[in-house]
Amino acid sequence: MYMSTDTLALIGSGLGGLLTLGIAMFAGFAWVIRRIDTVEQKLGARIDRVEQNQAEFRTSVEHEFTEVKVAIARIEGPRPRLILER
């Protein structure tokens, strides 16, 4: 089977172009995935900080609420007893 150099050059150029496009697409997708992973790590760290701040705030609110309950109990005095002592 006889093939001219023009035909071989056309086939070689086509394969080279497809190979170049394939490598470029692979590199592009790898870059996008790496960027997404970086954003995900930053976002994860940010969410962890928010959750930690919420936990600290919740602890401080619970502590203050306990202090308020104790203060109210001191103002009201002891509970009246249902059975009176003789």
Side-chain angles (χ1 to χ4, degrees), residues 46-62:
R46 194 171 180 186
I47 290 172
D48 290 342
R49 281 197 317 267
V50 168
E51 288 177 351
Q52 183 181 8
N53 290 341
Q54 284 180 345
E56 291 173 0
F57 178 74
R58 191 176 308 122
T59 303
S60 66
V61 168
E62 288 175 356

Side-chain angles (χ1 to χ4, degrees), residues 3-64:
M3 295 179 85
S4 68
T5 54
D6 292 340
T7 306
L8 289 175
L10 181 66
I11 292 172
S13 297
L15 289 176
L18 288 175
L19 184 64
T20 302
L21 286 175
I23 291 172
M25 287 178 63
F26 177 77
F29 286 133
W31 178 77
V32 167
I33 289 171
R34 192 180 73 201
R35 289 287 306 252
I36 288 173
D37 287 345
T38 303
V39 170
E40 183 180 358
Q41 289 173 355
K42 289 180 183 178
L43 184 61
R46 194 171 180 186
I47 290 172
D48 290 342
R49 281 197 317 267
V50 168
E51 288 177 351
Q52 183 181 8
N53 290 341
Q54 284 180 345
E56 291 173 0
F57 178 74
R58 191 176 308 122
T59 303
S60 66
V61 168
E62 288 175 356
H63 179 70
E64 289 179 21

